[in-house]
Amino acid sequence: MSQLPARLSRWLPTVEPIAALYRLDPLLVLAIMDRESLGGDALTPKGPSGTGDHGHGRGLMQVDDRAHKGFVAAVDDLGRPLWQDPAVNVLYGCRLLRRNLDALDGYVVGALAAYNAGLGRVRSVLARLPADATDAHRLVMVDSVTTGQDYARDVLSRRERFAGSAPTPAASGA
């Protein structure tokens, strides 16, 4: 993991055990974090208690307040929002990713796109694809509903860069 930027390496001790709990690749989780918040550097204020996406994304994993109202409203014993705790935010993000992977039979590209655009939108796209669609076509179509129409490709590219290897054209399995 020597290719990991400093903005993310500081979160590795938080991410690794949580990723293991959900049977996820920690580099993939860090790649999502990087795309979502640059490890907190792109948030206002900077850090795990910051927001992004015009105030709708919360914390390092940018959990959206519109889709995850219960999580965003939860507070600790002192009345502080739980989403501001880096470990709780990463835990929730990992849980979302694991649910997406399970719902899509381990289809990584779809699970990443669903993290960004929602599982319903991704399922809708997949249902319209012909049975003989290539992995490349499936990737383009699934990404077409995401922010920038490149979310899954970008996250996978970051993951590969962090691992120090060349990006794969299309990841179709877990």
Side-chain angles (χ1 to χ4, degrees), residues 40-60:
D41 288 356
L43 303 179
T44 304
K46 286 185 179 190
S49 63
T51 62
D53 190 20
H54 309 287
H56 292 293
R58 306 296 170 99
L60 298 171

Side-chain angles (χ1 to χ4, degrees), residues 49-163:
S49 63
T51 62
D53 190 20
H54 309 287
H56 292 293
R58 306 296 170 99
L60 298 171
M61 301 299 288
Q62 286 294 277
V63 178
D64 193 287
D65 67 342
R66 297 163 291 191
H68 304 278
K69 291 178 176 143
F71 174 70
V72 171
V75 295
D76 66 14
D77 293 342
L78 299 175
R80 295 176 298 213
L82 285 176
W83 65 262
Q84 292 182 351
D85 180 315
V88 173
N89 197 271
V90 170
L91 184 80
Y92 195 83
C94 286
R95 189 173 103 197
L96 290 174
L97 182 58
R98 172 46 56 198
R99 283 184 180 171
N100 292 341
L101 281 164
D102 292 347
L104 297 171
D105 298 323
Y107 181 45
V108 174
V109 167
L112 291 171
Y115 188 92
N116 176 260
L119 189 56
R121 291 180 78 189
V122 170
R123 280 184 167 153
S124 178
V125 168
L126 290 172
R128 292 191 310 268
L129 286 171
D132 63 347
T134 64
D135 284 344
H137 183 241
R138 190 177 313 270
L139 171 64
V140 168
M141 294 309 295
V142 166
D143 252 354
S144 73
V145 297
T146 66
T147 305
Q149 298 184 338
D150 71 343
Y151 188 87
R153 281 176 288 190
D154 182 56
V155 169
L156 289 171
S157 176
R158 290 170 195 247
R159 188 251 169 251
E160 296 303 323
R161 195 167 55 247
F162 300 158

